[in-house]
């Protein structure tokens, strides 16, 4: 099977890191196709950037529909463009935040999210509400670590995330940590070992979710709001993303 992994920001190196994390857990026979939009911000740390990233996800989903991915992962913690991609594509489309919350809710009665810039906490908090995890997510904690600084993650950055996780586990009385950025995926294993609790990376969980649903031949419902978008004229630079 072929799983499409869309990094909604336009960082080539972060896309490569996400692809490595996805390929590390993919089953034999699963081919990971990692892409990012042809336009948009190099990282997503707020509402304006997320708006452009959502359009970029829509662009990449539209481009991919010709080869019909078995499943698709939206590899940004805000799950931008998730429902647009579900309209355009037939296979299951999974956001890494949604996948991580689902896994954390099984592994612990309460979990905490540790993310990057504090200004993005509201985005994760709104997803917790949207996905119905208010009773299990006990806190969302920003570290003010810029997303792109995770690319060459220093010892200090790793220790900062570890310390924020320790504080969150105690403050929230949580039993698990959700990593609130796709760029943290490579840190999951070492943090799990150091913290001795489940540390959940949404990229890995979403890839396995996608494999599972695809192997059951389960596709996105096209009855209702996830039906294929109507064809209509798009103007300006959006002409290229017209359905
Ligand atoms: C992400 N931003 O996973 C989010 C993290 C965040 O460019 N990739 C990004 O802070 O929302």
């Amino acid at each position: 099977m072929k799983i499409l992994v869309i990094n909604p920001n336009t960082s080539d190196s972060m896309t490569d890191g996400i692809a490595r994390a996805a390929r590390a857990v993919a089953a034999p026979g699963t081919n990971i196709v990692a892409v990012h939009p042809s336009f948009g911000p190099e990282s997503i740390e707020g509402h304006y950037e997320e708006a452009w990233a959502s359009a970029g996800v829509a662009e990449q989903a539209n481009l991919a529909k010709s080869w019909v991915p078995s499943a698709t992962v939206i590899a940004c913690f805000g799950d931008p463009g998730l429902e647009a991609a579900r309209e355009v594509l037939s296979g299951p489309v999974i956001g890494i935040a949604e996948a991580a919350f689902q896994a954390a809710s099984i592994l612990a009665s309460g979990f905490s999210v540790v993310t990057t810039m504090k200004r993005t906490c509201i985005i994760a908090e709104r997803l917790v509400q949207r996905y119905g995890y208010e009773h299990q997510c006990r806190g969302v904690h920003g570290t003010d670590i810029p997303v792109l600084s995770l690319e060459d993650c220093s010892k200090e950055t790793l220790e900062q995330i570890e310390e924020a996780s320790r504080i969150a586990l105690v403050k929230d009385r949580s039993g698990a940590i959700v990593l609130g950025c796709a760029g943290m995926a490579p840190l999951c294993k070492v943090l799990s070992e150091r913290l001795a609790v489940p540390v959940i990376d949404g990229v890995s969980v979403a890839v396995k979710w996608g494999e599972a649903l695809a192997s059951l031949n389960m596709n996105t419902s096209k009855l209702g709001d996830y039906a294929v978008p109507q064809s209509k004229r798009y103007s300006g630079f959006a002409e290229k993303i017209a359905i």
Side-chain angles (χ1 to χ4, degrees), residues 9 14 43-45 75-78 96 115-117 120 147 180-183:
N9 71 43
M14 190 164 166
S43 67
I44 302 149
E45 298 169 318
C76 170
F77 203 72
I96 66 169
T115 188
T116 56
M117 303 305 287
T120 70
V147 167
C181 178

Side-chain angles (χ1 to χ4, degrees), residues 45-63:
E45 298 169 318
H47 302 301
Y48 180 81
E49 293 154 6
E50 190 168 63
W52 281 101
S54 297
V57 166
E59 174 206 41
Q60 291 304 310
N62 193 23
L63 289 172

Side-chain angles (χ1 to χ4, degrees), residues 151-170:
E151 289 174 356
D152 53 359
C153 189
S154 66
K155 177 173 171 290
E156 291 72 24
T157 299
L158 173 57
E159 288 172 352
Q160 188 181 349
I161 296 169
E162 180 186 349
E163 180 58 16
S165 300
R166 291 189 187 286
I167 292 168
L169 288 167
V170 172

Side-chain angles (χ1 to χ4, degrees), residues 68-127:
V68 191
S70 307
T72 298
V73 171
I74 309 299
C76 170
F77 203 72
D79 295 352
L82 177 65
E83 296 197 292
R86 285 177 176 165
E87 285 189 4
V88 170
L89 295 167
S90 54
V93 183
I94 303 132
I96 66 169
E98 186 177 36
F101 295 161
Q102 287 168 342
S105 70
I106 293 167
L107 300 172
S109 59
F111 63 86
S112 299
V113 177
V114 173
T115 188
T116 56
M117 303 305 287
K118 287 181 176 148
R119 67 179 294 169
T120 70
C121 287
I122 185 69
I123 295 172
E125 288 160 357
R126 286 177 180 165
L127 286 181

Side-chain angles (χ1 to χ4, degrees), residues 128-176:
V128 166
Q129 292 165 4
R130 177 173 147 198
Y131 296 144
Y133 288 99
E134 296 96 321
H135 300 299
Q136 288 172 283
C137 179
R138 294 187 178 158
V140 175
H141 303 264
T143 57
D144 273 343
I145 296 170
V147 167
L148 294 184
S149 67
L150 292 166
E151 289 174 356
D152 53 359
C153 189
S154 66
K155 177 173 171 290
E156 291 72 24
T157 299
L158 173 57
E159 288 172 352
Q160 188 181 349
I161 296 169
E162 180 186 349
E163 180 58 16
S165 300
R166 291 189 187 286
I167 292 168
L169 288 167
V170 172
K171 181 171 180 288
D172 299 343
R173 290 186 298 107
S174 291

